[in-house]
Structure formats: C-alpha cells, structure tokens
C-alpha cells in the first residue's frame, strides 16, 4: 500500500543571503547643504560690493590709494649698457711725424725812419762769446758770428765794422756813410773809443767802450742801435 506524504506545516526555510567580502556600500549623501553654500556666494559678493561702495563714497578714493598699508610703488629699473670699446691697434710700421714750428723772429718790425733809434743797450762781453744786434744776448762765439771776442780782438764774420776817430760824431749819418770798413776792433782800446757796426739784418749801431778791457777779462760796450735799412 502506497503512503501519501503529508503536506508540510511550515514553509521551507529560505537560503541564507550570499555574503560579500567587499565593503558595504554607503548610503547616498545629501548634497543639498553644499548646493546651498554655492548658491549663497552671489549674495556675499553683492554685500561686499555694497560695503566697498559705501566706504568709497564716504571716505573717498585717496584713502585707499594712499593707504599706509598699500604696497609702495617701485620705480622701474633702467639698465644701461655701455658698449665695449673697440680695440685699437697702433701702426708701428711708420715712425710718427712731428712738425716743429720755427722760432719766432726777434728782428724788429721795419717801421719808422732809418735814423730812428731802435734801442740803447749795454753789453758785457767776455772772451769766446759774442752777440747780435737783434738779440743782444751773449752766446758762444761758435754760435754767433756777428760780433764775438776771440784772442785780443772783437771780430765779425757777417757784419762790417767802421773805426771812428775821436773827432768824428757818433751819429747815424756817420755810421751809415763812412766806408773805412774793417772786420776787427782791438780789446786793448781805451775807454771812450768807438766803432760802428753794420749788421747783415740792416741794423746800424754805434759801439762805445765804457769799461773793462783786456786786463779786466771783459769789455763793456754801450750800443746805440738805429733801425737802418732792413
């Protein structure tokens, strides 16, 4: 005999829910507060703008411009650069050329009449020295050939001497017209002796022995110089 099974009195047990090793999924969060913060930004900006406008209108712009807390303006820095000097090279192939200016002439300007006195001067002359009528400064006889003392004579190589007698007047007319020419005058002459000098420059002079002599080691000549015909 076949036995019919009885219906179950309890519902079959449900299988357990599968377990997962992953972290539990968090519940969705509510973003409403964050959205509210961003939505409030325009209001804050509007409020700040209103406060700034109120301060500008009440205090004025210079308060903010000249505020002690404002950063000072710095002047722009100007940087200048000096160009490097170009190297120069000296040309040593040719010697430098120098020009020497000629010494100024000491000859007086030919103005006035020939008989006008140009200068009256006294010169002390020693042996082996000489001078010229346009310079009147004693130099070595090797450098001066117009009047110089050599041996026992006053000599000349470029001028003309005219020995005068004591009775002849020592004038320009006498010195320029007498033709007793000589090229020497003795230093043994006496004080008061005279002779004329006709220089190659045209100057004419009367030379009178006023001191010194051979024994003194010098002769002192008083010179009266006329412009002559230079």
């Amino acid at each position: 005999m076949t036995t019919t099974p009885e219906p179950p009195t309890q519902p079959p047990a449900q299988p357990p829910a599968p377990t997962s090793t992953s972290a539990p999924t968090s519940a969705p969060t509510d973003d409403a507060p964050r959205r509210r913060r961003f939505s409030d930004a325009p209001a804050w900006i509007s409020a700040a703008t209103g406060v700034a406008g109120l301060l500008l209108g009440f205090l004025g712009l210079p308060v903010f411009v000249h505020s002690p807390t404002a950063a000072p303006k710095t002047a722009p820095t100007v940087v200048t650069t000096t160009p490097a000097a170009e190297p120069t090279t000296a040309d040593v192939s040719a010697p430098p050329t120098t020009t020497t200016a000629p010494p100024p002439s000491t000859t007086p300007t030919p103005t006035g009449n020939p008989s006008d006195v140009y200068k009256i001067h006294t010169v002390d002359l020693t042996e082996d020295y000489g001078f010229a009528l346009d310079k009147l400064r004693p130099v070595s006889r090797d450098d001066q050939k117009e009047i110089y003392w050599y041996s026992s004579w006053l000599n000349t190589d470029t001028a003309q001497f005219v020995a005068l007698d004591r009775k002849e007047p020592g004038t320009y007319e006498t010195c320029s017209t007498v033709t007793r020419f000589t090229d020497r005058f003795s230093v043994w002459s006496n004080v008061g002796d005279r002779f004329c000098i006709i220089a190659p420059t045209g100057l004419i002079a009367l030379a009178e022995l006023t001191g010194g002599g051979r024994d003194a080691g010098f002769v002192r000549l008083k010179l009266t110089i006329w412009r002559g015909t230079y």
Side-chain angles (χ1 to χ4, degrees), residues 47 51 53 57 69 91 95 107 113 123 140 153 156 182 185-186 200 204-205 220:
V51 173
T69 59
D91 186 7
T107 303
N113 298 319
V123 177
S140 172
W153 300 88
T156 180
T182 182
F185 181 82
S186 177
I204 297 177
R220 178 168 295 166

Side-chain angles (χ1 to χ4, degrees), residues 32-82:
R34 180 180 300 176
R35 294 191 186 96
R36 285 195 299 271
R37 285 197 298 271
F38 281 108
S39 62
D40 293 342
W44 283 103
I45 294 173
S46 177
T49 304
V51 173
L54 180 61
L55 290 176
L56 289 174
F58 182 74
L59 298 177
L61 182 60
V63 174
F64 294 93
V65 174
H66 300 288
S67 175
T69 59
K73 295 183 180 180
T74 58
T77 302
V78 179
V79 179
T80 60
T81 58
T82 303

Side-chain angles (χ1 to χ4, degrees), residues 47-219:
T49 304
V51 173
L54 180 61
L55 290 176
L56 289 174
F58 182 74
L59 298 177
L61 182 60
V63 174
F64 294 93
V65 174
H66 300 288
S67 175
T69 59
K73 295 183 180 180
T74 58
T77 302
V78 179
V79 179
T80 60
T81 58
T82 303
E86 297 182 359
T88 58
T89 57
D91 186 7
V92 297
S93 59
T97 57
T98 57
T99 57
T100 303
S105 176
T106 57
T107 303
T109 305
T111 57
N113 298 319
S115 60
D116 292 342
V117 175
Y118 162 61
K119 184 179 293 186
I120 297 177
H121 191 75
T122 299
V123 177
D124 288 343
L125 191 64
T126 59
E127 190 170 4
D128 292 330
Y129 279 82
F131 64 91
L133 292 183
D134 59 351
K135 294 182 174 61
L136 299 176
R137 178 182 179 184
V139 296
S140 172
R141 67 181 178 88
D142 296 330
D143 299 329
Q144 181 53 251
K145 302 300 181 181
E146 193 166 311
I147 307 169
Y148 62 93
W149 180 350
Y150 177 67
S151 186
S152 298
W153 300 88
L154 296 179
N155 298 271
T156 180
D157 293 339
T158 58
Q160 290 176 320
F161 292 167
V162 177
L164 298 181
D165 295 333
R166 284 187 174 265
K167 296 180 180 180
E168 290 182 293
T171 61
Y172 169 75
E173 288 74 13
T174 300
C175 289
S176 61
T177 58
V178 174
T179 59
R180 295 189 304 269
F181 298 127
T182 182
D183 59 0
R184 63 177 56 185
F185 181 82
S186 177
V187 296
W188 289 101
S189 300
N190 297 318
V191 172
D193 288 346
R194 302 164 299 160
F195 66 100
C196 298
I197 306 169
I198 303 174
T201 56
L203 294 174
I204 297 177
L206 172 69
E208 181 181 358
L209 185 64
T210 59
R214 174 70 180 177
D215 293 337
F218 73 96
V219 290

